[in-house]
Amino acid sequence: MLMTAEDYRESLRSLSPRVFVNGERVECVADDPRLAPGINGVGVTYDFAHEPAHRRLMTARQGGRTVNRMLHVDETCADLLDKLEAVRLVCKVSGCAQRYLSHDALAGFHMATHRADAVHGTDYHARFLAYLEEVQRRDLTLGVAMTDAKGDRSKRPADQPNPDTYVHVTERRDGGIVIRGTKAIVTGAPYMHEFLVMPCRTHRPEDAACAVACAVPVDAEGVTIVAKPAGRPGEAAAKFSARYGQSVGVVIFDDVFVPHERVFLDGEVEEAGHLTTSYATHHRQSCIGARAGFGDLLIGAGAMMSEANGLDPERHGHIRDAMVDLITITESFFACGVAASVYGVASESGTVMPEPVFANVGKLLLATRIYDMHRLAHYVSGGLVVALPGPDEDHNPQTAASLAAVLGGRGDIPAERRAEVARFMEDLTVSHQAGWYSVISLHGGGSPEAMKREIWRNYPVGERADLVGQLIDRGVYDAGQRVSRQPGRCCARGCEAPDRIAPEAAE
Ligand SMILES: Cc1cc2nc3c(=O)[nH]c(=O)nc-3n(C[C@H](O)[C@H](O)[C@H](O)COP(=O)(O)OP(=O)(O)OC[C@H]3O[C@@H](n4cnc5c(N)ncnc54)[C@H](O)[C@@H]3O)c2cc1C
């Protein structure tokens, strides 16, 4: 059954997670206005699956049924491309729709469980396929609980003074395992149906207790979520983020029992590392789609702001240049996402993973260029995006009319319209929510160093060196064609090789 946004909101009522926001216990997640922008964002992925214009992109066939694209495990390169475009679509409407994380984790679990079974003779893959079927049938939303609190970054898990900085297995019982520890950053935590728990780094054998992957209902006994409000709820100036924005939560697992059928790795260190990197590769490609959607918003707002200012990019070259730079950044990292799809890599579990070099290059580009995107948006907009008096002034009889008279720009565009666009731009590029978009771009899906390591690990540098080595050996440089070196000659031209330097000449 494909839910609508309203069905999804209603489904949250049947759950009773232990959630705190701003120091207060949340009574009902579905009704708390501080979480509404996040629920609205996830809701876009549900409603778009029903809209005729988006249905093809937002749904897929798997296991004999139609499933939401965000829960589909990719089988072809075309699937990867559809997912990339679907993520851009939902994020250009919602800023961040969270649910692509569900997709990326399901893909990683599919690959890692298959690999673990092949090596260890376990039955994780069958368990996972049964779980996947249930998730798709119930059209759930899954939070990704990957990033551990990590404590002292210079120490590995087993060396941490507080073991609870990493989620780890504390006990094995007949029917399942018990986990405890902390996942520090989980997007949308309060309004997920379940969490997919997985390691955030590769582990050594002595850290095997942390090599655990499992599914935990959001309201399982022992789970506590300490979250921030989603977006900028209730703020009149927040043109976008009062409606859409994601909460981020700390998720504490305090001796949580997980039954065997929901355990997908337990101590298999190698395969847990494989899970982390394959999830990350999928997720970095999704981040590309998400931030391209954000780029669409900035490009649109930049065009409207310069128009409201009375400037025509056709006539004012520096405005056009800034807009072209903004477009170039957005579309160049998106193109990496397309390339990662087209060159997708088949996995042994029967799925297809984005090509890792392109996925990581694209994510690295967006992580660092997000700050340039904000600068360019500010450049074309002017200072009004931070200087405009607040929305209450729009209703002040003593100032509203005179402000409207002088704060207009182009004559045929009302001052209120210019103010609205300026506030939209402020919301996306200046407010604390704007900072959220910067930091999620930089660190979400892994910090830049993680991408650099993956690019270096996967790029065929050796092949490139061999290529140049072969060219040098074949002496193709001189005339651009193959030439051979004669024995006894120093080069292809035929010079004789010099004798050894005579001892007297060397004195
Ligand atoms: C808005 C937002 C939403 C997110 N959503 C999710 C989510 O839904 N689920 C999830 O699991 N995660 C999520 N993340 C977490 C994201 O994956 C992490 O932020 C990222 O992996 C970096 O980890 P960290 O924040 O702990 O920073 P750190 O790991 O502390 O990194 C900070 C800096 O220190 C460096 N560093 C760290 N460790 C070392 C070391 N041992 N040696 C040398 N340098 C080091 C890093 O390279 C980086 O430059 C989200 C992040 C953000 C910002």
Side-chain angles (χ1 to χ4, degrees), residues 1 39 41 51-52 56 106 169 194 202 209 237 242 254-255 265 318 324 349 351 370-371 373 406 416 426 479 484:
M1 178 199 66
I39 295 172
E51 285 196 12
R56 192 205 66 76
L106 290 172
V169 178
E194 307 224 339
T202 52
D254 186 4
D255 290 334
L265 287 178
H318 64 297
V324 169
S349 76
T351 65
I370 185 77
Y371 299 94
M373 291 167 74
V406 293
E416 304 84 64
E426 184 265 344
S484 59

Side-chain angles (χ1 to χ4, degrees), residues 11-19 25-29 190 192-193 217-221 223 225:
S11 73
L12 297 175
R13 292 186 199 286
S14 63
L15 301 167
S16 46
R18 188 164 184 257
V19 178
R25 177 82 192 255
V26 171
E27 286 306 318
C28 176
V29 164
M192 298 293 103
H193 294 111
V218 71
D219 57 354
E221 198 180 334
V223 172
I225 298 158

Side-chain angles (χ1 to χ4, degrees), residues 96 98 101 142-156 166 183-189 196 198-201 246-249 279 283-284 291 435-451 453:
C96 173
Q98 189 285 333
L101 281 98
L142 308 172
V144 168
M146 180 198 72
T147 304
D148 292 280
K150 292 189 284 196
D152 181 339
R153 270 52 179 167
S154 70
K155 292 185 166 65
R156 307 292 291 228
Y166 281 84
K183 296 293 187 184
I185 312 180
V186 179
T187 299
L196 285 176
M198 70 174 109
C200 71
R201 62 189 301 179
Q246 290 301 328
S247 167
V248 185
Y279 161 74
H283 189 46
R284 287 169 194 164
R291 237 41 71 198
W436 190 95
Y437 286 115
S438 300
V439 179
I440 199 172
S441 303
L442 188 66
H443 285 297
S447 305
E449 180 58 20
M451 275 130 250
R453 273 207 301 256

Side-chain angles (χ1 to χ4, degrees), residues 53 62 160 240 262 313 358 370 407 431 468 474:
Q62 196 146 57
Q160 294 289 340
F240 188 80
R262 287 179 170 234
F358 281 118
I370 185 77
L407 288 185
S431 69
V468 175
R474 285 158 55 196

Side-chain angles (χ1 to χ4, degrees), residues 62 71-74 102-117 122-136 142 194-198 213-215 259-265 275 349 351:
Q62 196 146 57
L71 302 178
H72 177 245
V73 177
D74 310 296
S102 311
H103 165 279
D104 303 335
L106 290 172
F109 276 58
H110 197 283
M111 292 168 67
T113 51
H114 188 274
R115 181 176 280 216
D117 288 359
T122 41
D123 66 346
Y124 292 130
H125 196 59
R127 287 184 203 177
F128 173 73
L129 291 181
Y131 178 71
L132 176 67
E133 196 268 341
E134 183 191 336
V135 166
Q136 291 178 337
L142 308 172
E194 307 224 339
F195 295 120
L196 285 176
V197 178
M198 70 174 109
C214 56
H260 278 320
E261 61 269 23
R262 287 179 170 234
V263 177
F264 306 120
L265 287 178
L275 169 58
S349 76
T351 65

